Amino acid sequence: MEKTATRVRPKDPYYSRTSAPWETAPRLDRIPDDAPGPLPAEEVRRYQQEGFLFEPELFSEAEVKEFLSEASDLAREWPKSRPGLICEPGSNAVRSIFRLHRVSKLFRRLFADDRLRARARQLIGTDVYIHQSRINYKPAMDGKEFFWHSDFETWHVEDGMPRMRALSVSLFLTESHEFNGPLMIIPGSHLTYIRCPGETPEHHYEQSLKRQEYGVPPREALADLIEESEIVAPKGPAGSVVFFDCNLMHGSNGNLSPSPRVNLFAVYNSVENQLVEPFCDRAPRPEYLSERTIDVLS
Ligand code: 6CS
Ligand code: FE
């Protein structure tokens, strides 16, 4: 596909991948602490400072059993004609499936559940809609790593998400322990935006969803972030949930254990932060990766 004409855009505060060397930029978007919701003020304050919240066992074993069975069915029965199923690099093991809110009534209902949506509304400060949903299966022995990245950097540059007014929920469908590649995060990293080097290749998502090489911070940028903070990996039983800001630096190791690490993700975006044209000279990514219309899951 031809490169779209380079648009002259009003100064984009979150430009990245302009083939300049990497640099840091301050976060301009405030996380509100005055919106109604189930979270106590102290937890909202912690989320403002650290960029994530860990809620152990928010869902029951019985609920998770149903979610896990649905997750296995979806991967097994995914029609070859439907985009959105990604295999692990170099194998047929399923790495991820996308757009759950459109293919599963059960998961569509889950994303409207106030244990998730009411918290998302409170931490974003407005009504929200699903920007993306997926399951990362990280299969036993086979699940490869997800290198360090900020989701927002990709969603801004490649999808056209204007500002940092979105968050992800990661629901553990299996236990997350130290050996099966738990989600790793750098607390407080959501306050710094890393402009990444390089330029976005054409159809980048065909590669990046297996192994991301563009839109990832250089090692020295990561070393700086980790030195100013630390690495934490929320671990816990199935049914636990991590809420994390769209710009929080995160990643996960490969899974060399005999137990899969199946995490279900939904990304809630502010209804005031709908996607515009991508901030790179490429066509928008397919809608299974980024919804371009608001679906409020009613
Ligand atoms: O490109 C994306 O939208 C996806 N990539 C990663 C590594 N995390 C967020 C999202 O699922
Ligand atoms: Fe991510």
Side-chain angles (χ1 to χ4, degrees), residues 98 132 134 149 151 154-155 209 212 285:
F98 283 85
Q132 178 188 101
R134 68 191 184 278
H149 63 282
D151 292 336
T154 291
W155 296 338
L209 297 175
Q212 189 172 355
R285 298 198 302 172

Side-chain angles (χ1 to χ4, degrees), residues 90-294:
S91 104
N92 290 328
V94 177
R95 178 174 174 87
S96 306
I97 61 171
F98 283 85
R99 216 175 192 189
L100 309 172
H101 54 287
R102 287 292 184 88
V103 298
S104 160
K105 288 195 179 66
L106 176 68
F107 289 147
R108 190 176 174 81
R109 254 195 332 272
L110 167 63
F111 299 150
D113 185 306
D114 271 342
R115 284 171 285 181
L116 299 179
R117 190 164 61 172
R119 285 172 169 78
R121 282 174 171 153
Q122 183 176 5
L123 295 172
I124 289 174
T126 67
D127 196 3
V128 295
Y129 72 96
I130 297 289
H131 162 69
Q132 178 188 101
S133 64
R134 68 191 184 278
I135 295 173
N136 287 344
Y137 288 83
K138 206 177 275 275
M141 303 292 183
D142 249 342
K144 297 291 180 285
E145 80 281 0
F146 285 84
F147 192 76
W148 291 107
H149 63 282
S150 151
D151 292 336
F152 175 75
E153 194 275 350
T154 291
W155 296 338
H156 179 73
V157 170
E158 298 192 59
D159 297 335
M161 183 183 281
R163 302 298 288 242
M164 296 177 184
R165 301 184 67 191
L167 63 80
S168 291
V169 299
S170 177
L171 167 55
F172 298 178
L173 297 191
T174 55
E175 182 197 359
S176 259
H177 55 73
E178 62 188 296
F179 304 113
N180 64 351
L183 180 67
M184 298 192 300
I185 49 189
I186 303 173
S189 58
H190 64 306
L191 299 172
T192 303
Y193 182 63
I194 307 274
R195 300 190 203 288
C196 297
E199 287 208 6
T200 307
E202 195 166 16
H203 303 146
H204 178 223
Y205 59 92
E206 290 171 356
Q207 165 58 28
S208 66
L209 297 175
K210 286 178 180 288
R211 190 168 186 281
Q212 189 172 355
E213 292 174 352
Y214 290 87
V216 292
R219 273 70 174 150
E220 59 267 43
L222 289 164
D224 291 351
L225 284 177
I226 295 166
E227 195 181 317
E228 284 154 32
S229 175
E230 57 178 335
I231 298 175
V232 300
K235 293 179 270 295
S240 305
V241 182
V242 180
F243 295 77
F244 63 101
D245 179 78
C246 58
N247 188 47
L248 189 74
M249 198 59 70
H250 65 287
S252 58
N253 285 320
N255 180 0
L256 294 181
S257 86
S259 54
R261 190 228 66 184
V262 187
N263 282 3
L264 182 148
F265 293 80
V267 181
Y268 293 92
N269 188 23
S270 168
V271 291
E272 297 172 2
N273 194 40
Q274 242 190 294
L275 304 190
V276 296
E277 277 301 293
F279 290 85
C280 67
D281 292 335
R282 297 289 181 200
R285 298 198 302 172
E287 288 218 67
Y288 69 83
L289 288 174
S290 51
E291 297 294 349
R292 307 197 73 80
T293 52
I294 288 189

Side-chain angles (χ1 to χ4, degrees), residues 57-77:
E57 299 181 88
L58 204 53
F59 291 85
S60 69
E61 275 182 36
E63 289 175 304
V64 170
K65 194 159 174 280
E66 206 188 353
F67 298 152
L68 196 53
S69 156
E70 176 88 339
S72 312
D73 293 351
L74 283 171
R76 191 180 53 253
E77 297 158 10

